[in-house]
Amino acid sequence: MKINAKYASRLAVAPMMDWTDRHCRAFHRLLSREALLYTEMVTAPALVRGRALHLLDFAPEEQPVALQLGGSDPKELAEAARLGAERGYSEINVNVGCPSDRVQSGTFGAVLMKSPDLVARAVEAMRRAVDVPVTVKCRIGVDDQDPAEVLPAFLARVREAGCTRVTVHARKAWLQGLSPKENRDVPPLDYDLVAAMLAEFPDLHLSLNGGIDTLDAAVAALERGFHGVMIGRAAYQRPWDILAGADARIFGRDTPPPDPVEVAEAMRPHIAAHVAEGGKAHQVTRHMMGLFAGRPGARAWRRTLSEAAASGAGAEILDAALVAASQERAAA
């Protein structure tokens, strides 16, 4: 069955290093059947030169899921895209937004906002290599660039290369002077500039990213005309708040939000299988810490998962945390 990633991108969970691994995606998929999920950024050199193909592992149940690639060599990116498409990813995304020092040293990520022709050549090469959508995630500019000039020029160039979907993080990235963490918050958001691109590029599918931390804000962005919304940290830290109601509110599905306790229990087979393969339960449950965020039982849930992780507990960690959360709710 062909997966419609374009439709799913009405609400996407952003690719986040150390967070959106396969365990996180398995958990998020239980909360929303429709939202588009992304891998962590995988570098093209790791796949092509290092043959670290295990980085492409995912389960069919995660679909729709997109692979985000980092790199700057068009030929290498095309080969990495081919490897990802062969594994069954519904979309291949090029990272033109990450501001970390490690990414800069590899001449990819946000620094590529300075090289739109190189990005365009990469998109062209990747499109020739795969038959799934090739998309771009970018910033509105970097350093002293003028976003009002840089963003439309960048979008025009990648559109010419055949890219039809772009996610724009509506902040500049300061490659010198700000840490990656500060680059997520300090540069001001400019939603109006990104919104202006909707009229300037009516044939582009544009998703908005940056500072969107509620479903209400996501709905407002869609009502403003954006074709999609991408949410990062809020979806990870408050997953039930963001994802449990998404299928109904964003995708119009007539489905009630899943019960968080049932979601937790549904993760038991995944945890057990991971432990049976030699993994640790905490490698899964660390992504579930925020399941009860803002609700009675949240503190006991987090505390129990953390304590059990420190002790190296197995799959029973989930049962203990659910009991502790239930007792805290009963005492409230």
Side-chain angles (χ1 to χ4, degrees), residues 47-104:
L47 297 176
V48 178
R49 287 181 247 163
R51 304 307 294 176
L53 301 184
H54 66 280
L55 297 174
L56 296 176
D57 290 348
F58 78 100
E61 293 77 16
E62 296 172 29
Q63 291 281 21
V65 59
L67 169 66
Q68 187 184 65
L69 292 175
S72 58
D73 180 272
K75 183 177 179 181
E76 201 164 54
L77 280 165
E79 174 62 12
R82 184 188 65 78
L83 292 169
E86 286 179 351
R87 289 295 183 99
Y89 283 97
S90 301
E91 171 191 323
I92 311 294
N93 180 265
V94 186
N95 184 322
V96 190
C98 181
S100 77
D101 293 340
R102 183 171 68 87
V103 168
Q104 289 181 57

Side-chain angles (χ1 to χ4, degrees), residues 3-331:
I3 305 296
N4 189 342
K6 180 177 179 180
Y7 167 76
S9 68
R10 281 179 59 81
L11 181 71
V13 178
M16 292 175 281
M17 293 300 293
D18 299 320
W19 285 5
T20 52
D21 63 15
R22 63 188 181 90
H23 306 304
C24 176
R25 297 192 304 266
F27 170 52
H28 284 175
R29 183 55 69 214
L30 292 173
L31 291 162
S32 170
R33 292 303 313 160
E34 304 290 345
L36 180 61
L37 306 180
Y38 279 79
T39 65
E40 304 170 84
M41 183 188 69
V42 179
T43 68
L47 297 176
V48 178
R49 287 181 247 163
R51 304 307 294 176
L53 301 184
H54 66 280
L55 297 174
L56 296 176
D57 290 348
F58 78 100
E61 293 77 16
E62 296 172 29
Q63 291 281 21
V65 59
L67 169 66
Q68 187 184 65
L69 292 175
S72 58
D73 180 272
K75 183 177 179 181
E76 201 164 54
L77 280 165
E79 174 62 12
R82 184 188 65 78
L83 292 169
E86 286 179 351
R87 289 295 183 99
Y89 283 97
S90 301
E91 171 191 323
I92 311 294
N93 180 265
V94 186
N95 184 322
V96 190
C98 181
S100 77
D101 293 340
R102 183 171 68 87
V103 168
Q104 289 181 57
S105 67
T107 321
F108 55 92
V111 71
L112 286 175
M113 291 298 298
K114 298 179 179 181
S115 305
D117 288 341
L118 178 57
V119 176
R121 292 199 302 274
V123 168
E124 289 169 347
M126 294 166 73
R127 290 187 64 245
R128 288 193 297 268
V130 303
D131 60 2
V132 296
V134 174
T135 67
V136 171
K137 184 175 186 289
C138 68
R139 293 276 183 146
I140 61 174
V142 296
D143 298 336
D144 293 324
Q145 289 181 330
D146 180 356
E149 296 179 0
V150 169
L151 182 60
F154 180 87
L155 293 178
R157 191 66 190 87
V158 297
R159 180 185 61 178
E160 290 170 6
C163 178
T164 59
R165 282 202 285 127
V166 180
T167 298
V168 183
H169 186 153
R171 286 188 175 94
K172 262 190 180 185
W174 287 95
L175 304 179
Q176 302 295 327
L178 291 181
S179 69
K181 181 178 185 299
E182 290 169 330
N183 264 303
R184 292 193 294 265
D185 296 302
V186 174
L189 290 160
D190 193 345
Y191 292 159
D192 290 342
L193 173 62
V194 187
M197 299 300 101
L198 293 167
E200 190 161 345
F201 299 95
D203 54 336
L204 273 183
H205 182 285
L206 293 175
S207 289
L208 183 67
N209 174 230
I212 302 168
D213 59 4
T214 65
L215 268 187
D216 286 344
V219 169
L222 294 171
E223 290 176 344
R224 188 173 183 179
F226 290 103
H227 304 104
V229 176
M230 179 178 280
I231 302 180
R233 284 166 293 162
Y236 187 88
Q237 294 164 348
R238 295 183 285 107
W240 194 90
D241 286 350
I242 301 297
L243 294 174
D247 290 0
R249 295 195 61 192
I250 303 296
F251 297 95
R253 298 303 189 197
D254 185 19
T255 54
D259 180 84
V261 173
E262 293 177 358
V263 168
E265 290 174 341
M267 283 296 292
R268 187 179 286 109
H270 183 96
I271 297 169
H274 180 62
V275 171
E277 293 168 357
K280 297 180 179 179
H282 176 62
Q283 292 170 321
V284 181
T285 59
R286 71 186 183 95
H287 301 300
M288 302 169 63
M289 292 283 190
L291 178 58
F292 295 97
R295 290 169 177 76
R299 185 179 295 107
W301 167 261
R302 292 192 305 269
R303 183 181 64 249
T304 305
L305 288 182
S306 297
E307 292 173 350
S311 68
E316 69 276 8
I317 183 175
L318 190 64
D319 298 307
L322 283 171
V323 169
S326 176
Q327 290 173 341
E328 185 174 89
R329 282 194 297 272

